Structures are given as C-alpha cells and as structure tokens.
DNA sequence: ACTATATCCTGTATGC
DNA sequence: TGCATACAGGATATAG
C-alpha cells in the first residue's frame, strides 16, 4: 500500500523521468482512473497533449505533476496505483490504464492500477498547490511541518489515536502500515483517546511516525507484493524492518508476546498485547457514565 | 464542526 | 474442480 515513503519514491522516479518533457498524446485504456475529469477520457487525453512537465510535487499521499503553463496533473495511487516508464514497444503490464507518449520519442509513462481506488485528474491552476489538495495537512517530510501544531490538533480530537493518525487533514502521509508501526514504537493502543494523551506522548508518537517513514524511504519503501513498485518496477525492502504490521502470531521484538491482529475501521490493526495495552475505558464508555450520572 | 460508517474496486487466498 | 467468501484499505460522500 503506497503511503508517504512509497509515494515519495515514486515522486523521485517521476522527477528523473519527466522533467521538461512534452506530451505528444495520451491514451486512456480504462475510464475509471480518470473518472473525476468532467469531459471524460477523450477530453482528458485531448487537454493533455502539448503540455510540458516541470518538477513533480507531493503532499502526503497526493502527487501532482505541474505543467509549465500553471496547471497540473493530479495523481493519487490509492491502493495499487503505479507509474512506470517503458518503451512503447514493451508489452503492457496487466491492469495498465493510461499511456502517455512524449514528443521526444523517449520512454512512455504508464499508469497501472489493479484496484483503481486511485486516479488521475487535471487541476486547473494547480501547479503550486492544487485546490483538491488544499484541505490535506502537511506531512512530516514537509519543511513547513510544525510538530507542536500537529500535537495540538491531535489533542483536540475525541477519536481513538489511530483514527486521528489516519486522518489526512491532521497529519498526512500515514496509512495503516506506518500507523501500526508508530503506535508500536510509542507503546500505544489504537483506541487510546487522542484527547487523553499528554503533549509529550503525542509528540513522541509523531516523532516515531516520522522516523519509521524516514527509515522506510531510505530502503525504497515497503512492498508486500507486486502492488507497490517504483517507476522501474522494483520493490522496497522495509517489510523486513516491520515490528507490528503483518506479524500476527510472531513474537514482539520488545517483549516476546505474540502480535495480535484485530478488526478495526474495516481493516486490520496489529499490536503487541503486552506493550500496547487497551485503555482503561474508551471515551464512549466514559461519556455514557457521565450521562448516567 | 466533528465523528463514524458505507462505498468504490479486483486479484489472491481460503473454505466447503 | 468450481463456487462463494474474505481480505487488502486509500479517500470521500453521507448520515448522525
């Protein structure tokens, strides 16, 4: 699942392969990835021809590929989106959805996406910051990221801490894998009310999230299968460094107890039952008690 | 304004 | 072998 480190790996690959290149033609092979474009796949393809890419940018898991004319191609990888560079004569990978050819005749840019939760759209005037991304919070890799401000936002939420970590409007870039890893590092249960944390613990959690993701970026990201690869089709190696995610039944590397998997928010949460104890009472239980009194 | 949930989508793994 | 079901989980629309 591409989260912040994986999306940054992709951004860097795109930077190396797209800069100053001009689009000759675009072919949309499946309409779903361009569903947000108002004039449909044909309009999407036509409006892109002739545009010249500049430096790709990113906020959290959103990528945008600015054009020299001030607009941008906005991209989200969703669950399984990939950008790949291939010669036009190379066979198409399964689930290839969009093809971009360039005037220089060099490698094609291909958007491949099995589950199609992600997609491409055109952001008019979005070269600097697409309006579609304006509501997304800064990510921990952003030079403008303010830890104290993020701590304050976490403490203002009534939800469990993992819900808050996954909320891209508070801090962006964190998905299920790095949320579980950060919670393991910080020894926190996913249901701990965000409001109950001290500033110190909330800060430590954010630092842990940031450090885990930096470590993942350094080795090319986390890959479990062929659904996340860089623009050359290569996998990352961070799965070997995970402490919680995907380790059901395996010993906690801190205390030795088997990691458990629990259903949470329509997905799985992994935690150590020894190091990450459930909070004494959920906020819902407490408010019920207050009401009863 | 905040919070929680249903929904989208397809390949792979598993159970009967 | 075939068929059904569970699972992977991003962001968003919608309901409360």
């Amino acid at each position: 699942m591409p989260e912040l480190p994986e999306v940054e790996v992709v951004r860097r690959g795109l930077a190396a392969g797209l800069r100053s290149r001009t689009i000759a033609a675009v072919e949309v092979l499946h309409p779903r990835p361009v569903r947000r474009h108002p004039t449909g796949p044909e309009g999407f393809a036509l409006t892109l021809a002739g545009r010249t890419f500049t430096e790709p940018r990113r906020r959290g898991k959103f990528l945008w590929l600015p054009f020299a004319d001030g607009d941008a191609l906005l991209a989200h990888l969703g669950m399984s989106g990939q950008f790949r560079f291939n010669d036009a004569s190379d066979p198409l990978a399964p689930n290839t959805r969009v093809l971009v050819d360039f005037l220089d005749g060099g490698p094609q840019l291909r958007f491949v996406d099995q589950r199609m939760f992600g997609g491409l759209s055109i952001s008019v005037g979005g070269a600097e910051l697409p309006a579609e991304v304006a509501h997304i919070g800064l990510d921990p890799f952003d030079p403008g990221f303010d830890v104290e401000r993020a701590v304050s936002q976490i403490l203002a939420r009534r939800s469990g801490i993992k819900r808050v970590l996954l909320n891209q409007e508070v801090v962006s870039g964190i998905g299920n894998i790095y949320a579980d890893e950060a919670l393991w590092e910080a020894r926190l249960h996913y249901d701990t009310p965000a409001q109950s944390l001290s500033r110190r613990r909330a800060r430590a959690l954010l630092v842990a999230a940031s450090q885990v993701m930096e470590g993942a970026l350094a080795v090319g990201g986390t890959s479990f299968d062929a659904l996340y690869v860089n623009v050359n089709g290569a996998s990352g190696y961070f799965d070997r460094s995970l402490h919680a995610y995907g380790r059901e039944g395996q010993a906690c590397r801190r205390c030795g107890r088997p990691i458990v998997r629990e259903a949470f928010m329509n997905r799985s949460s992994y935690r150590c039952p020894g190091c990450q104890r459930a909070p004494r009472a959920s906020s819902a239980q407490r408010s019920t008690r207050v009401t009863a009194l």
Side-chain angles (χ1 to χ4, degrees):
Chain A
M1 290 51 79
E3 302 179 30
L4 191 154
E6 293 77 30
V7 178
E8 175 60 15
V9 169
V10 171
R11 191 199 68 79
R12 292 178 183 184
L14 291 171
L18 280 185
R19 198 171 312 149
S20 301
R21 299 183 73 195
T22 300
I23 296 174
V26 171
E27 187 177 359
V28 178
L29 304 178
H30 194 297
R32 180 157 176 86
V34 299
R35 61 194 176 279
R36 296 189 60 162
H37 189 81
T39 59
E42 298 79 9
F44 177 84
L46 284 173
T47 190
L48 282 171
R51 309 237 201 184
T52 302
F53 285 109
T54 62
E55 180 82 10
R57 304 185 65 170
R58 181 190 53 70
R59 176 179 286 187
K61 303 169 205 170
F62 283 86
L63 277 170
W64 65 97
L65 316 178
F67 296 114
D69 61 18
D71 295 341
L73 179 60
L74 181 63
H76 199 292
L77 303 178
M79 290 286 294
S80 52
Q82 304 175 359
F83 280 111
R84 306 284 290 271
F85 286 109
N86 284 93
D87 288 329
S89 58
D90 290 346
L92 293 185
N95 307 310
T96 301
R97 310 304 189 188
V98 179
L99 304 175
V100 180
D101 280 296
F102 295 89
L103 287 183
D104 59 21
Q108 249 180 5
L109 178 68
R110 297 178 176 178
F111 184 69
V112 179
D113 191 1
Q114 178 201 106
R115 294 175 202 163
M116 296 185 291
F117 277 27
L120 309 176
S121 59
I122 291 158
S123 177
V124 175
E128 197 59 31
L129 178 69
E132 298 88 337
V133 181
H135 67 293
I136 298 295
L138 298 190
D139 62 70
F141 292 177
D142 195 301
F145 182 71
D146 183 341
V147 179
E148 295 308 318
R149 188 177 145 85
V151 166
S152 298
Q153 291 204 45
I154 288 173
L155 298 183
R157 299 282 174 158
R158 302 184 63 85
S159 306
I161 186 59
K162 186 169 175 180
R163 282 182 189 278
V164 178
L165 279 183
L166 294 174
N167 182 339
Q168 304 297 303
E169 299 186 19
V170 178
V171 174
S172 67
I174 301 173
N176 203 37
I177 296 173
Y178 298 111
D180 279 3
E181 293 302 301
L183 290 168
W184 183 87
E185 293 285 348
R187 305 179 192 230
L188 282 169
H189 187 285
Y190 53 79
D191 247 350
T192 308
Q195 276 190 325
S196 73
L197 297 178
S198 63
R199 286 196 73 88
R200 176 188 290 268
R201 290 205 82 184
R203 193 181 297 120
L205 177 62
L206 285 177
V207 169
S210 184
Q211 288 178 345
V212 168
M213 293 193 292
E214 287 279 5
L217 176 59
V219 295
T222 302
S223 306
F224 288 102
D225 49 34
L227 291 189
Y228 163 70
V229 294
N230 67 17
V231 296
N232 303 310
S235 295
Y237 296 103
F238 197 71
D239 61 305
R240 299 167 192 179
S241 305
L242 296 175
H243 290 106
Y245 186 87
R247 299 194 67 243
E248 182 180 18
Q250 298 178 50
C252 170
R253 299 196 216 268
R254 240 181 346 231
C255 75
R257 290 188 59 174
I259 298 291
V260 297
R261 176 167 72 104
E262 293 162 324
F264 178 74
M265 282 177 78
N266 250 347
R267 64 203 67 194
S268 293
S269 261
Y270 298 87
R271 71 179 173 98
C272 171
C275 305
Q276 299 168 268
R277 301 290 180 88
R280 277 181 295 121
S282 74
S283 57
Q285 286 170 315
R286 263 204 310 281
S287 54
T288 301
R289 191 174 308 141
V290 168
T291 306
L293 290 170

